[in-house]
Amino acid sequence: MPELPEVETVRRELNQMIKGQTITAIDVRYPKIVVNPIAQFKQLLIGQELVDVGRRAKYLLFHFGDDLTMISHLRMEGKYQVRDNLQDFDKHVHVIFTLSDGRYLGYRDVRKFGRMEVVPRTAELTTKGIAKLGPEPLTPAYTYETLADGLQRKKKNIKTVLLDQQVVSGLGNIYVDEVLWQAQINPEEPANNLTTAQLTALYSAINDTIQAAIAAGGTTIRSYVDAAGNQGQFQLQLRAYKQDGKPCQRCGTTIEKIKVGGRGTHFCPHCQKLN
DNA sequence: CTGCGGGCCTGTCAGC
DNA sequence: TGCTGACAGGCCCGCA
């Protein structure tokens, strides 16, 4: 499911719903979701108060009182649910936290790709996966120079580089297709072959698209809902992703779907030509 | 170091 | 209808 705008939406919902709660029990029904040994995971978190939920790119950072962070990555399908009764969780809910007010926080993940791990808060940004993340859109670290310099050093196609999280973080398959359409760049263009005009357009397109998607509460294609069960609305504004067979909203040419780097890729063959 | 393919899992959908 | 294979908002690992 989730790219930066969806994870940010979940983060805001969790803060509204469960910030300030203390974990009183944990039921791990599918142990591989949890990176720590299960006994350690429980021992560290039970009794801890959730101070706030932060985020780095697509990672949720649950900050607990005793300088602990639970890093949670939703991968393809992970989602959090807050419920009053245990019976409200189905077979795809793999970790359940009992909260001090009697509610439950469940982690549901049909494909079981997601992972959660407790680390000292001082280590949260140097943990594997997070340590190598590039700057993310809408932050001071994300500048035109970091984007242009980063892309200059990559020979791979632009789509693969934008999905890689090292030059810029937070984009996934949906938003990469969207920003490349917006900036009129062919997804197979070598990253170090973009013109200055394309770099300028891409830099802005990334910020603008992520901002609009957050404002819309993310994109719901198949299954994404936020922690309150709400669907996103950005799918109504998509102009490339899943638009194959439809006319390009800029030029009317039929949007095509191809494979780039093994990922389904949607683009307009007329306004996104190779340089 | 980079690039590529496979793995992790389950569900859905198109095509035969 | 039933089966089979491809595909799905992501990331990691091992190998060449």
Side-chain angles (χ1 to χ4, degrees):
Chain A
M1 100 170 167
E3 307 177 35
L4 191 158
E6 292 75 38
V7 178
E8 172 63 14
T9 303
V10 170
R11 184 193 74 78
R12 292 177 183 183
E13 291 288 348
L14 288 173
N15 274 319
Q16 286 195 4
M17 291 191 294
I18 63 167
K19 183 157 76 175
Q21 295 296 308
T22 295
I23 306 294
T24 61
I26 303 174
D27 182 11
V28 180
R29 301 178 173 183
Y30 186 80
K32 287 181 70 173
I33 297 284
V34 175
V35 175
N36 311 71
I38 302 304
Q40 179 195 56
F41 181 77
K42 292 183 180 181
Q43 184 256 318
L44 287 171
L45 288 186
I46 291 173
Q48 292 289 319
E49 178 188 347
L50 180 63
V51 175
D52 69 77
V53 183
R55 181 183 58 74
R56 173 73 174 97
K58 304 177 194 175
Y59 293 81
L60 287 167
L61 305 173
F62 291 75
H63 292 135
F64 288 96
D66 200 14
D67 284 329
L68 292 173
T69 300
M70 185 180 84
I71 300 170
S72 172
H73 198 302
L74 307 172
R75 296 288 183 101
M76 298 288 263
E77 300 257 348
K79 47 187 58 70
Y80 282 97
Q81 303 177 323
V82 179
R83 296 289 184 269
D84 291 332
N85 300 296
L86 285 175
Q87 307 91 277
D88 295 330
F89 294 124
D90 72 8
K91 65 173 182 175
H92 298 299
V93 174
H94 307 305
V95 184
I96 298 173
F97 303 87
T98 305
L99 306 177
S100 45
D101 69 358
R103 291 179 298 160
Y104 301 92
L105 173 67
Y107 175 74
R108 182 174 190 270
D109 188 344
V110 169
R111 293 176 72 181
K112 302 176 178 171
F113 283 178
R115 292 293 179 267
M116 53 185 75
E117 177 179 13
V118 178
V119 301
R121 182 162 180 169
T122 51
E124 68 178 25
L125 296 181
T126 54
T127 300
K128 184 178 55 175
I130 296 183
K132 292 196 300 182
L133 292 171
E136 60 184 270
L138 307 176
T139 67
Y142 174 65
T143 64
Y144 173 82
E145 285 71 28
T146 63
L147 180 71
D149 293 349
L151 296 181
Q152 200 59 46
R153 290 183 284 103
K154 303 282 187 177
K155 295 177 296 190
K156 279 186 291 189
N157 66 73
I158 183 66
K159 165 131 188 182
T160 299
V161 173
L162 291 179
L163 284 175
D164 182 65
Q165 309 299 307
Q166 292 197 43
V167 175
V168 57
S169 62
L171 302 178
N173 209 33
I174 295 176
Y175 297 112
V176 167
D177 282 4
E178 290 301 305
V179 301
L180 292 178
W181 181 89
Q182 185 68 41
Q184 301 189 51
I185 297 168
N186 188 285
E188 301 192 275
E189 190 71 43
N192 61 3
N193 196 44
L194 300 192
T195 67
T196 302
Q198 285 175 323
L199 287 168
T200 302
L202 179 61
Y203 174 73
S204 299
I206 289 173
N207 267 343
D208 294 348
T209 301
I210 293 299
Q211 186 162 47
I214 292 173
T219 302
T220 296
I221 294 294
R222 313 173 48 231
S223 64
Y224 165 73
V225 291
D226 69 21
N230 304 305
Q231 294 197 348
Q233 294 300 318
F234 194 72
Q235 64 276 12
L236 303 174
Q237 300 179 53
L238 293 176
R239 286 173 288 195
Y241 186 81
K242 277 278 169 37
Q243 304 305 299
D244 45 307
K246 298 181 184 175
C248 171
Q249 290 184 34
R250 195 162 37 215
C251 76
T253 303
T254 302
I255 299 290
E256 291 184 5
K257 182 177 182 184
I258 60 174
K259 274 209 182 269
V260 178
R263 306 297 302 274
T265 299
H266 315 73
F267 76 113
C268 173
H270 177 73
C271 32
Q272 293 175 261
K273 290 190 192 306
L274 284 166
N275 291 346

